[in-house]
Amino acid sequence: MRIRQVSCGLEWHTSPDSEVSIAPILRDYLSLDDDYSAIASALEFDDILREGFAEFRGLRILRQEPWECLVSFICSANNNIPRIKKNVNDMASAFGSPIHEGTTGENAFPSAAQLADAGEMRLRELGLGFRAKYVAAAANRVAEGEIDLFSLREASYQDALDALVELKGVGDKIANCVLLFSMDKREAFPVDVWIGRALREWYFSDSEEKVNLNQMRAWAQARFGQYAGYANQYLFHGRRLRGRD
DNA sequence: CTCCAGGTGCCGA
DNA sequence: TCGGCACATGGA
C-alpha cells in the first residue's frame, strides 16, 4: 500500500489486492470511524491541544492487532525507534508466515505460537536484548490461552490494564499503549519520556514539587477524560515535532 | 570510549 | 509507596 494525507483526505493505492477489498481494513486500522469533530470539541478547551488540532488536524490513533501491538511495545522498553522497527521486522522475516501463501515475499507478524516455538534464545539472537525473555514469556502465556488479548477489547479499561501488567516486562506505560493502540481504550494515557517532558514544560512549569509518572497519568486522565488518548497523541506529536517552544 | 534510547523489575529505605 | 540502579544492543 502507498498512502498519503492530502488536503481533502487520503490518497492511496494497493497492490496486488484491490482498493475496494482493502478499504474497510484501512478504515478500521486508522480508526476513521472515531467521531473526530466530537473529540476535537471535547479537547479544545485546552490551549495547547487547540493549537495541536489546528496544526496537526487529522492525526489518528491506529487500531493495531493486539498481539503485534503488545510485542512491539515490549520491544520499545529503553530502546530507540529505528531499532524497535528492526526488531519487529526481524521477528516477522525469521518466524512469520508469508502474507501471500506459497510466496517468499513479506512475512506477517508471527503468531504467539510461532514466537513461543522460536524461544528466548533465538529472539535474543535477533538482537532483542533483555526484552527477549519478556517476549518469549508473553508468547507462552498467550499461546497457552492464559490470557486472551482479543477479549480484553470488550473488558473495561481498568480490568484490561490489570490483566496486561500481569505480564513481565509490561508496566503502566506499555500497558496503556496497548490499550490505546489496539484495545479501543481512548481514556488510556501512556506516559513516556516525551509526554513527561511535555507535561512538565507546558503544564507543571511553575510547580515546585516533582510529579512521578503515575501522578502524571492520573492528572491527565482527570483533565482530558474519555479522550485522554487523543490528547496524549497531540502532546506527544507536538513535543517531538515542535520541541519545547 | 561514553552516552543514550517510546521502561520495567527488583532492591533497600 | 518511593527512588536508584541494572538490563542488551547498536548508533552517534
Side-chain angles (χ1 to χ4, degrees):
Chain A
M1 170 180 295
R2 290 175 58 82
I3 182 169
R4 64 173 176 174
Q5 186 176 19
V6 293
S7 59
C8 57
L10 296 174
E11 190 177 279
W12 56 290
H13 175 68
T14 57
S15 173
D17 298 297
S18 71
E19 281 76 9
V20 170
S21 68
I22 296 297
I25 296 170
L26 180 60
R27 191 166 192 77
D28 181 79
Y29 190 60
L30 298 180
S31 300
L32 294 187
D33 289 326
D34 277 8
D35 190 342
Y36 209 82
S37 58
I39 292 161
S41 303
L43 293 176
E44 284 178 336
F45 75 92
D46 180 284
D47 291 343
I48 307 267
L49 294 183
R50 186 152 34 74
E51 290 177 28
F53 275 99
E55 192 172 356
F56 308 122
R57 171 72 58 169
L59 181 62
R60 293 284 171 167
I61 290 176
L62 294 188
R63 187 169 195 260
Q64 296 179 273
E65 194 284 316
W67 168 245
E68 177 176 353
C69 187
L70 172 65
V71 175
S72 299
F73 277 106
I74 288 176
C75 291
S76 76
N78 199 40
N79 206 351
N80 56 67
I81 292 171
R83 201 155 77 92
I84 297 165
K85 289 183 182 174
K86 180 179 188 303
N87 290 158
V88 172
N89 284 325
D90 287 350
M91 279 187 276
S93 23
F95 308 119
S97 304
I99 292 174
H100 293 285
E101 205 175 337
T103 71
T104 54
E106 295 284 299
N107 282 351
F109 188 77
S111 67
Q114 286 174 319
L115 287 187
D117 285 346
E120 176 186 341
M121 285 320 294
R122 271 184 288 178
L123 290 169
R124 202 170 273 270
E125 285 164 11
L126 284 188
L128 266 68
F130 62 87
R131 308 160 197 89
K133 171 162 33 104
Y134 301 138
V135 171
N140 286 323
R141 294 281 307 277
V142 171
E144 294 302 314
E146 294 167 31
I147 178 172
D148 181 351
L149 298 178
F150 271 102
S151 78
L152 293 182
R153 276 186 170 163
E154 318 303 323
S156 71
Y157 168 75
Q158 190 61 50
D159 285 352
L161 175 60
D162 292 342
L164 287 174
V165 297
E166 289 289 310
L167 297 167
K168 292 295 181 189
V170 179
D172 193 80
K173 185 269 174 182
I174 288 177
N176 272 273
C177 285
V178 175
L179 292 167
L180 180 59
F181 299 124
S182 77
M183 292 179 179
D184 304 327
K185 305 297 185 287
R186 296 297 183 246
E187 67 269 54
F189 193 91
V191 180
D192 62 17
V193 291
W194 293 98
I195 291 292
R197 285 169 194 154
L199 294 186
R200 276 191 298 276
E201 291 166 12
W202 294 339
Y203 295 93
F204 306 142
S205 55
D206 51 352
S207 168
E208 293 298 316
E209 71 263 51
K210 49 181 181 179
V211 287
N212 65 35
L213 301 182
N214 264 316
Q215 293 170 319
M216 282 196 250
R217 175 163 76 81
W219 177 88
Q221 289 178 319
R223 178 176 177 83
F224 301 122
Q226 63 174 328
Y227 299 129
Y230 273 93
N232 185 288
Q233 287 299 276
Y234 274 101
L235 295 175
F236 180 86
H237 195 61
R239 182 59 184 78
R240 290 208 67 181
L241 228 60
R242 286 194 256 106
R244 211 169 309 263
D245 263 4

